[in-house]
Amino acid sequence: MRSDPQYAPEHLAIEAVRLLGPEAATWTDHVRAEFPALTADDLAVLAIKRFTTLGRISGSVSGAGALPGAVLDVGVLAWTHSRMVLHIAAAYGVDPAAAERAAELLVLQRVHKGPSTARLALGVAAGRERASRLFSGMAVRPFSGVVVKLGVRLSQMAGVRTAKRVFAKVMPGAKIMLGTWVNSSATRDLADRACCRYREAAPAR
């Protein structure tokens, strides 16, 4: 993501499905085996509670730092959100490791308005990643500029809608409280959208 910050959400979505999809499927199978009476909605609620807590912890930790901490936090929050969405998909019986989940992540996280533009951006990001290997010896851009662009793109993916809300997290006297509130609010909003999406997409049993 440092070498291609403009497509940071797409790179993150691709990796999330590849690495976290199987984890979500395993978690769901384990919980279902241990508690067979749980419904899909029950499983989704368990996942939401788990990742809302992780989001709060992330927000309070970043509140103790300066701007780089806030940028790091939105990256961690975007990753946590991706884990949550994939766990919700698995709860409703939708394969969390299928390639199409990456486009759905980007739409649910409002990086793109629809699946067609999300798929196009994912294709571009994948192509840029392959091309970057041909130029691995080239110098990277200054890190300060990358931090700013990463912050903007990952804030969008994490549901932190404006720069003011990002920078609010590093204001004296309100760091930890604001960081926790911003993350919790963004996580709840995304959880509602994901539940609606995958409840409708759940295969008939």
Side-chain angles (χ1 to χ4, degrees), residues 4-192:
D4 192 22
Q6 179 62 30
Y7 284 90
E10 288 77 14
H11 292 302
L12 190 149
I14 292 169
E15 287 300 294
V17 172
R18 184 177 71 85
L19 296 174
L20 303 178
E23 171 196 86
T26 299
W27 176 84
T28 304
D29 290 343
H30 174 76
V31 176
R32 279 202 181 109
E34 190 169 355
F35 304 102
L38 291 180
T39 66
D41 286 331
D42 293 333
L43 284 170
V45 168
L46 287 176
I48 292 165
K49 287 181 178 178
R50 177 186 179 190
F51 293 109
T52 299
T53 299
L54 289 176
R56 287 197 190 104
I57 293 170
S58 171
S60 64
V61 170
S62 76
L67 179 58
V71 173
L72 175 61
D73 176 48
V74 292
V76 172
L77 183 59
W79 188 251
T80 300
H81 281 179
S82 298
R83 290 182 72 193
M84 181 183 70
V85 170
L86 294 172
H87 278 68
I88 291 172
Y92 287 105
V94 177
D95 182 3
E100 57 264 34
R101 298 291 87 78
E104 292 169 2
L105 278 174
L106 295 172
V107 173
L108 286 167
Q109 292 170 308
R110 293 177 173 168
V111 176
H112 295 286
K113 292 183 178 180
S116 58
T117 55
R119 285 192 291 268
L120 177 61
L122 287 165
V124 172
R128 289 162 71 98
E129 182 177 350
R130 287 190 292 270
S132 70
R133 295 170 188 161
L134 299 175
F135 305 103
S136 58
M138 294 179 65
V140 265
R141 284 170 287 175
F143 186 63
S144 58
V146 171
V147 166
V148 173
K149 182 163 280 191
L150 269 175
V152 171
R153 295 294 287 150
L154 292 176
S155 293
Q156 181 185 12
M157 189 179 193
V160 183
R161 291 290 159 212
T162 66
K164 286 183 180 179
R165 291 179 74 181
V166 176
F167 293 116
K169 297 169 73 170
V170 293
M171 289 177 61
K175 296 176 182 178
I176 293 177
M177 181 180 69
L178 283 171
T180 302
W181 176 83
V182 167
N183 285 11
S184 297
S185 175
T187 305
R188 285 194 302 270
D189 290 346
L190 175 61
D192 289 343

